[in-house]
Amino acid sequence: MARRVSLFFFCAVACHSKSTPATDLAPNDAAVADLADFSVPLDLTPLHLAFKPFGSGLIVGARPGGLATGDLNGDGAPDLVVTNMDENNLTVLLGDGQGGFATPTKQTVPGDGPGSLVLADLNQDGKLDVAVANYKSAELVVMFGRGDGGFDVVGKVAVGANPLGIDVGDFDGDGRKDIAVGSFGGGGIAVNYGNADGSPGHSDRLTAPTGVQSVIVADLNQDGKLDIAALSYLTDVISLYWGSGDGSFQNGKTLSTTHLPCAMTAADLNRDGIFDLIVGSTDASVVEIHLGKTGGEFDDTKAYGAGLLTRVPVVADFNGDGKLDVAATGGSGTCVTVFRGHGDGTLSSGLTIGVGDNPAALVTADFDRDGLADLAVSNYDNGSLTVLLNRSQ
């Protein structure tokens, strides 16, 4: 399974901490806890939601931005990979399945400014590989996994200026993963079609607005073929591209967002079998929901605020009630906010947790294998990684 993430360090906003847990779950109410509190309870009837930070933060490298999770060494425990932009390398943290991680190891990434990354089995050998977008040198780098947490560089290709969004999917039906990379600085979306051996092949370009910050691959119009959604931070739109199944795309709808949208993910929040789009917005202080409908249509936007600026959203059932919830980083402050999902596409503010300085990327996995979805966040300004173990009851 591919684990996606993008780099969102442009969206610099502040979190203002409070110490009193919220009791009214209406939107715009939240609770904030300091990292030192370790356990952060909140009564979310019928279940109790709490997270416990793992230690005081794992030091990973200079300017860690991109973050991804998957089982790199085949032991069944989720591992972490984070890119360090100012060091031109990536850090691998192998999980022990109990919420802890082995001593971090680093590997050089060729090029300049590694940022967004995605894990996927690109060469079909049963081991996770990594594709990295180099923000400064405008390149896509592919590295094959060895199955022990290490990677070997395979090749790199040019993409548009300042690439940020990245995701994978088989666009042309040949059984191999292709890679879509969106560019913040112009150049649209580069769609790279993988060679038979998994190395990067030729690329086509899709026209997109300037400022692409996030790219999502999913079947958004229910025709059995993968589509692409691209979020533009500078133009406040989501551009949709309908896949034809043969590697080509047709321009689809354009959805309006709130001002300065920062990141996006896709999930079925209202359990109708159709992907919805979830967007974090720095300027409007909200997580906004675009509920999907048949044929690639979307309902009008619903926005939910936590009283804090939001940035990078991820989706999982954090409180174990069978309904998907949303967590989002909170800008250049030090927090992650969890929104409770009701299973109908609506959210309520729930809990905000202290992390490191300027949280840049967020992923979710069951790091201690207790059946609950945990969180990990890269802290861009202090070179660390915070793991939040789910202690909900």
Side-chain angles (χ1 to χ4, degrees):
M1 174 185 287
R3 301 283 183 168
R4 66 172 68 96
V5 72
S6 290
L7 182 70
F8 303 108
F9 63 93
F10 286 106
C11 305
V13 295
C15 288
H16 302 285
S17 293
K18 297 182 289 184
S19 59
T20 305
T23 55
D24 181 358
L25 294 182
N28 297 315
D29 289 338
V32 179
D34 294 329
L35 185 62
D37 289 345
F38 285 95
S39 184
V40 188
L42 183 67
D43 183 16
L44 290 181
T45 304
L47 296 175
H48 182 79
L49 181 68
F51 284 85
K52 178 181 179 180
F54 174 77
S56 58
L58 303 166
I59 302 302
V60 292
R63 303 297 190 193
L67 179 64
T69 182
D71 183 4
L72 300 178
N73 58 355
D75 65 353
D79 308 308
L80 291 165
V81 183
V82 57
T83 52
N84 303 306
M85 177 166 285
D86 283 2
E87 294 182 3
N88 291 332
N89 61 25
L90 56 78
T91 299
V92 174
L93 300 97
L94 296 178
D96 62 9
Q98 301 179 52
F101 293 87
T103 302
T105 60
K106 293 184 179 181
Q107 287 194 231
T108 298
V109 177
D112 193 8
S116 304
L117 74 157
V118 64
L119 294 175
D121 184 3
L122 300 174
N123 60 354
Q124 301 175 307
D125 65 351
K127 304 168 187 175
L128 284 179
D129 312 306
V130 63
V132 180
N134 280 336
Y135 180 81
K136 296 179 183 178
S137 56
E139 297 165 317
L140 168 66
V141 179
V142 172
M143 304 168 69
F144 286 167
R146 302 185 197 128
D148 60 359
F151 296 96
D152 295 316
V153 177
V154 176
K156 60 182 180 178
V157 294
V159 294
N162 308 129
L164 281 176
I166 187 170
D167 205 354
V168 299
D170 180 8
F171 300 127
D172 53 7
D174 63 356
R176 297 189 292 269
K177 293 289 192 304
D178 309 306
I179 306 171
V181 182
S183 296
F184 187 89
I189 300 168
V191 181
N192 186 267
Y193 300 93
N195 292 322
D197 63 357
S199 62
H202 76 280
S203 295
D204 291 337
R205 296 292 178 97
L206 302 176
T207 301
T210 302
V212 172
Q213 184 105 346
S214 184
V215 169
I216 294 296
V217 173
D219 181 7
L220 299 173
N221 59 358
Q222 307 90 52
D223 65 353
K225 302 163 187 174
L226 290 178
D227 310 305
I228 295 175
L231 178 71
S232 173
Y233 176 77
L234 297 179
T235 60
D236 304 337
V237 298
I238 301 171
S239 301
L240 302 179
Y241 306 86
W242 304 136
S244 301
D246 59 1
S248 63
F249 291 85
Q250 302 295 322
N251 289 337
K253 294 178 63 67
T254 297
L255 308 176
S256 297
T257 69
T258 53
H259 190 43
L260 300 182
C262 206
M264 174 176 61
T265 191
D268 182 10
L269 293 181
N270 59 352
R271 300 182 289 186
D272 63 354
I274 298 173
F275 279 111
D276 310 308
L277 296 175
I278 303 98
V279 177
S281 173
T282 59
D283 190 66
S285 307
V286 297
V287 166
E288 62 179 57
I289 308 299
H290 302 258
L291 292 178
K293 300 192 295 185
T294 57
E297 298 293 324
F298 288 84
D299 279 340
D300 292 338
T301 303
K302 296 179 180 179
Y304 300 88
L308 300 166
L309 302 178
T310 57
R311 188 156 69 171
V312 183
V314 297
V315 176
D317 179 9
F318 293 111
N319 60 356
D321 64 354
K323 303 166 186 175
L324 290 178
D325 310 302
V326 177
T329 56
S332 62
T334 56
C335 52
V336 169
T337 299
V338 181
F339 297 82
R340 182 189 179 193
H342 300 292
D344 59 359
T346 64
L347 304 175
S348 292
S349 299
L351 176 69
T352 299
I353 311 158
V355 291
D357 292 338
N358 195 3
L362 183 69
V363 295
T364 180
D366 186 4
F367 295 115
D368 54 3
R369 295 188 286 189
D370 65 352
L372 297 173
D374 308 307
L375 292 164
V377 56
S378 60
N379 303 306
Y380 189 74
D381 284 352
N382 65 358
S384 70
L385 188 75
T386 302
V387 176
L388 300 170
L389 299 180
N390 194 336
R391 292 295 180 258
S392 301
Q393 298 176 353

